[in-house]
Amino acid sequence: MTPAVPAAPGGPLARVLLRRLRWWDVERLLPVEAELFGAGAWSAELFWSELAAPGRTYLAAEDRDGALLGYGGLALAGPDADVQTLAVAPGAQRRGVGGLLLDALVAAAREGGASAVLLEVRADNAPAAALYAARGFERIGVRRRYYQPEDVDAHVLRLRLGGSGARSGAETHRS
Ligand SMILES: CC(C)(COP(=O)(O)OP(=O)(O)OC[C@H]1O[C@@H](n2cnc3c(N)ncnc32)[C@H](O)[C@@H]1OP(=O)(O)O)[C@@H](O)C(=O)NCCC(=O)NCCS
């Protein structure tokens, strides 16, 4: 992906740019992270280590004034790619930004040769579930009481990109 690309030729998304998320963006996204994920929010250190890890694609969505609208991350390992996180600032939600980020992460998985994209989503996260279902993700498992201390199950979702898509191992990720 080029450093900054217009997200769509027309409509509200024409004002959204996708680019690589960099370590210097982390301080700026932390308030959004805290607001969206509360006790489950990632620390700056966790973001930095994710950005430095091999096989990662982290993207930021910005408006043309440089305001951060959202971000998402993908880890590519073997035949599978994992969506590590996906977040859209409350004031920017339901305008297509989450779908745009997700589509870009799936494209990165494809380009990286993955045969499937996997993720975990809280069983009570209806907006995210709707987004993933709209993009063709299917539920393949449940991790009971995965989110603590809230004691909420995780649904494991998969989008096949072609090929066998066999899961090679479990990783810790939030999405
Ligand atoms: C989930 C999230 C990333 C979606 O981002 P978004 O920019 O609002 O999503 P989009 O505008 O691209 O929505 C795409 C589709 O997802 C579904 N969707 C998104 N938000 C929804 C909501 N609140 N209720 C129902 N469906 C919703 C719809 O199908 C929507 O398409 P439509 O608007 O044409 O009906 C965003 O709500 C968010 O950041 N939530 C908090 C963090 C989180 O839960 N992250 C995911 C962790 S797994």
Side-chain angles (χ1 to χ4, degrees), residues 31-33 35-36 61 67-71 86-95 97-98 101:
V32 176
E33 176 74 9
E35 186 172 359
L36 293 179
L68 182 71
L69 303 177
Y71 49 92
L86 182 67
V88 174
Q93 289 182 4
R94 214 63 203 269
R95 285 162 37 193
V97 176
L101 282 162

Side-chain angles (χ1 to χ4, degrees), residues 32-55:
V32 176
E33 176 74 9
E35 186 172 359
L36 293 179
F37 295 107
W42 284 6
S43 65
E45 289 74 17
L46 184 44
F47 274 107
W48 289 328
S49 84
E50 273 290 300
L51 291 173

